[in-house]
Amino acid sequence: MSRIDLPLQPNGYKVQWSYLPRQFSAEKIEEILDLFRKFVPTGDFTLGKPVREFEQRFAAMIGTRHAIGVNSGTDALKLSLKALGVGPGDEVITAANTFIATVGAIAENHARPVFVDCTDNFCLDVDQVEGRITERTKALLPVHLAGQMTDMPALMRIAQKHGLPVIEDSCQCILGDIDGRRAGTFGRSGSFSLHPLKNLNVWADGGMIVTDDDDFATVLRQLRNHGLKDRDSVVRMGCNSRLDSLQAVVGNWLIGQVDFITDTRIRNATYLDEELARIPQVRLPRRFSNRKLVFHLYIVFAERRDELLAFCKEKGIEAKVHYPVPLYLQDGLRCYGYTRGDFPVTDRQADTMISFPAHEHLVEEQLAYIVQTVGEFYGV
Ligand SMILES: *Cc1c(COP(=O)(O)O)cnc(C)c1O
């Protein structure tokens, strides 16, 4: 195979992490600004028509009865827990390796996060959940990290046995599924993020909650809008967490592309899986034939990870680590009393994981360049 070299992109890399400059090219920006020009004169800015339309389309895409727009993925989780009645003294079981927002949503409800170590697919190890349940446990909060899936059928059996509600953090797993059942549809509700770096992304913060439970949906709609039932009736204490109408305009523009985004990421990941599997120093996470993994992040385990990361960056590949310091060891979480070694799989993964760009705006040569560079590093 001939050696590939690639031109430097504007941010100094040859294979960029961010797809935003390509996704929102000058021409696409104009398309969206035209939609803004039509919408702005309506003044329908507070839970307006674009929000209702986006909610309906989102619910149809996931296949749930309801979708409720909120102002971030974090708030989607926070309000879901609040709607369950999670509060001071309660415990919520979640994954030891996740993004801080999952734990922040628990903490903002004054509850305590109880971590469970993860498996080789980065999601919580369902076999360890029962050992963590106490009389204070109020909910289970699995995280479908990196577009992988928690073993939801097994987790739901445990939840039912103990009468515990489940809230899914599906922020990184839009359109992921197990045997055709989508992420976010197993538990009482599923939470999605519309952050610029998520698979369905808008131009600022945004989030969405999906549920099939009519009563739960009603409570969530009230919670995101000051606890108002109608203009003059406050029926519970809520907050202002409305999805911005302009962001819903962007969301409506993008939502038709989510299948393309997902399928392209899966194709890119399949290529990288096949090629990187030939390199003995690289190990792939477990793949499952009955699960659709949507590769929000493409992560593999690598020997001499830090050296490989530095080498890739020097060669112009914007690789990253998700996440180099496990959450339970972060200074801000010291109050929960966890100590180094509590979650050995999470620790091992933090030392060996590396994330490569696999997004839908990469071209074939860029993917081949990743493989070439990793092979070059290990001399294979
Ligand atoms: C992004 C993310 C969130 C929070 O979403 P925001 O929209 O940024 O608030 C929560 N959990 C996980 C796993 C995420 O990746």
Side-chain angles (χ1 to χ4, degrees):
M1 203 172 83
S2 60
R3 290 192 60 76
I4 303 159
D5 201 8
L6 298 171
L8 284 176
Q9 307 285 320
N11 78 336
Y13 283 101
K14 297 175 178 183
V15 186
Q16 282 173 296
W17 184 267
S18 174
Y19 41 83
L20 297 175
R22 299 184 72 110
Q23 181 178 34
F24 299 115
S25 60
E27 182 194 337
K28 306 282 185 201
I29 290 172
E30 277 312 308
E31 274 180 36
I32 296 169
L33 291 182
D34 277 342
L35 296 172
F36 279 9
R37 280 182 200 105
K38 282 198 197 102
F39 168 65
V40 170
T42 69
D44 194 12
F45 296 141
T46 308
L47 295 177
K49 186 160 167 276
V51 173
R52 292 193 300 278
E53 193 182 314
F54 187 46
E55 288 176 337
Q56 278 160 15
R57 294 175 73 183
F58 201 98
M61 175 179 69
I62 302 294
T64 50
R65 287 172 57 78
H66 306 277
I68 299 113
V70 293
N71 73 11
S72 68
T74 309
D75 270 14
L77 291 166
K78 187 176 87 181
L79 295 181
S80 296
L81 292 173
K82 194 174 165 73
L84 290 178
V86 169
D90 292 334
E91 295 176 353
V92 177
I93 295 177
T94 194
N97 177 32
T98 180
F99 179 58
I100 176 59
T102 317
V103 179
I106 298 169
E108 283 205 49
N109 281 295
H110 309 285
R112 182 186 171 79
V114 173
F115 291 125
V116 172
D117 208 354
C118 51
T119 66
D120 267 359
N121 74 338
F122 319 123
C123 299
L124 64 77
D125 184 350
V126 174
D127 290 340
Q128 295 189 35
V129 169
E130 274 194 301
R132 306 270 164 175
I133 294 174
T134 71
E135 69 269 22
R136 290 166 187 259
T137 307
K138 189 80 177 201
L140 308 180
L141 208 180
V143 184
H144 308 310
L145 202 76
Q148 302 271 332
M149 289 279 306
T150 309
D151 184 353
M152 288 308 293
L155 188 69
M156 292 312 293
R157 281 194 292 276
I158 293 169
Q160 267 143 26
K161 182 173 153 198
H162 294 269
L164 288 170
V166 175
I167 301 294
E168 293 174 72
D169 182 342
S170 314
C171 287
Q172 299 192 1
C173 199
I174 193 163
L175 294 189
D177 73 46
I178 297 183
D179 287 323
R181 184 153 177 194
R182 297 228 157 96
T185 68
F186 290 86
R188 184 75 56 86
S189 70
S191 293
F192 294 91
S193 168
L194 310 170
H195 181 276
L197 288 178
K198 297 289 158 75
N199 286 16
L200 195 184
N201 53 321
V202 295
W203 282 1
D205 283 303
M208 196 66 89
I209 307 168
V210 298
T211 183
D212 278 328
D213 184 323
D214 297 346
D215 295 337
F216 203 60
T218 301
V219 173
L220 288 166
R221 284 184 197 286
Q222 292 165 354
L223 286 176
R224 67 144 180 213
N225 193 25
H226 305 297
L228 286 163
K229 186 174 86 173
D230 53 49
R231 186 181 174 279
D232 299 316
S233 320
V234 180
V235 291
R236 62 186 77 248
M237 288 312 291
C239 63
N240 177 358
S241 182
R242 297 181 293 249
L243 176 62
D244 182 273
S245 294
L246 279 176
Q247 298 313 322
V249 171
V250 181
N252 280 323
W253 177 85
L254 191 67
I255 195 165
Q257 301 168 36
V258 180
D259 274 325
F260 160 79
I261 292 169
T262 307
D263 294 344
T264 312
R265 281 173 179 267
I266 291 173
R267 210 176 53 230
N268 291 347
T270 306
Y271 170 86
L272 289 173
D273 269 8
E274 279 167 13
E275 298 296 322
L276 292 175
R278 295 174 211 206
I279 300 174
Q281 293 87 346
V282 172
R283 192 166 61 81
L284 304 181
R286 185 162 163 213
R287 308 295 187 211
F288 300 80
S289 58
N290 67 333
R291 297 185 188 179
K292 182 172 176 183
L293 311 178
V294 297
F295 298 99
H296 170 64
L297 301 170
Y298 180 83
I299 305 178
V300 295
F301 305 112
E303 288 179 16
R304 291 159 55 211
R305 196 272 316 276
D306 290 340
E307 284 170 70
L308 173 65
L309 181 66
F311 185 78
C312 286
K313 286 191 166 161
E314 191 189 301
K315 293 284 179 183
I317 298 168
E318 202 174 1
K320 291 181 189 281
V321 175
H322 298 84
Y323 300 93
V325 179
L327 216 43
Y328 81 96
L329 293 175
Q330 295 277 355
D331 283 348
L333 283 84
R334 216 175 269 161
C335 55
Y336 299 120
Y338 290 107
T339 52
R340 188 172 292 280
D342 284 349
F343 304 102
V345 178
T346 296
D347 287 345
R348 173 157 45 78
Q349 291 185 357
D351 293 339
T352 56
M353 285 195 290
I354 182 165
S355 312
F356 291 110
H359 58 77
E360 64 278 10
H361 294 280
L362 294 175
V363 296
E364 239 173 84
E365 288 77 42
Q366 288 176 305
L367 292 168
Y369 184 74
I370 293 174
V371 176
Q372 172 184 292
T373 305
V374 176
E376 190 182 336
F377 175 74
Y378 290 115
V380 297

